[in-house]
Amino acid sequence: MNAAQIAAGALLISLCCGASASSFIVTTDAVVRAVNASTNATSDATSSLRDHKIVRQAREDAASFVASAGAIRGARLESALAFLHQQQPLQHATDSELAQAILVATE
């Protein structure tokens, strides 16, 4: 190989590495932003749960529900679940997810 071919090869390799690093940074930034948005939404949802008396009162029933894998459903939990299923960001959550959210929010 002559010097021109070696220089061209080195240039090509450096360009490829630069593109890969740039692509990696863009992808990483997108993932970090998505995780941050999800974390903020979850934090907002659990904060708003804590503000409702009906949800705070359902804590013990929620613990029984989670511990029994859904077999024990207390009246306070049923009331809280009905309320939460009407809330906009929580409409499609399962009863199990909501019971766990009650436990986290009321700690």
Side-chain angles (χ1 to χ4, degrees):
M1 276 194 197
N2 64 26
Q5 288 175 330
I6 292 174
L11 178 63
L12 183 59
I13 289 173
S14 67
L15 290 175
C16 290
C17 291
S20 296
S22 175
S23 176
F24 176 75
I25 290 169
V26 170
T27 302
T28 303
D29 287 347
V31 170
V32 168
R33 275 190 233 109
V35 169
N36 189 25
S38 175
T39 302
N40 288 341
T42 302
S43 177
D44 291 345
T46 55
S47 295
S48 66
L49 290 178
R50 190 178 314 120
D51 297 338
H52 297 286
K53 183 178 179 181
I54 192 170
V55 173
R56 288 192 313 266
Q57 291 176 339
R59 179 170 171 61
E60 287 183 27
D61 285 356
S64 297
F65 179 84
V66 171
S68 69
I72 300 172
R73 300 175 72 95
R76 288 184 175 166
L77 177 64
E78 288 295 335
S79 182
L81 292 176
F83 170 76
L84 293 173
H85 279 300
Q86 295 173 357
Q87 303 305 308
Q88 185 63 324
L90 303 173
Q91 287 177 333
H92 302 292
T94 66
D95 289 351
S96 180
E97 291 169 336
L98 290 176
Q100 291 173 9
I102 290 170
L103 290 174
V104 170
T106 58
E107 286 183 332

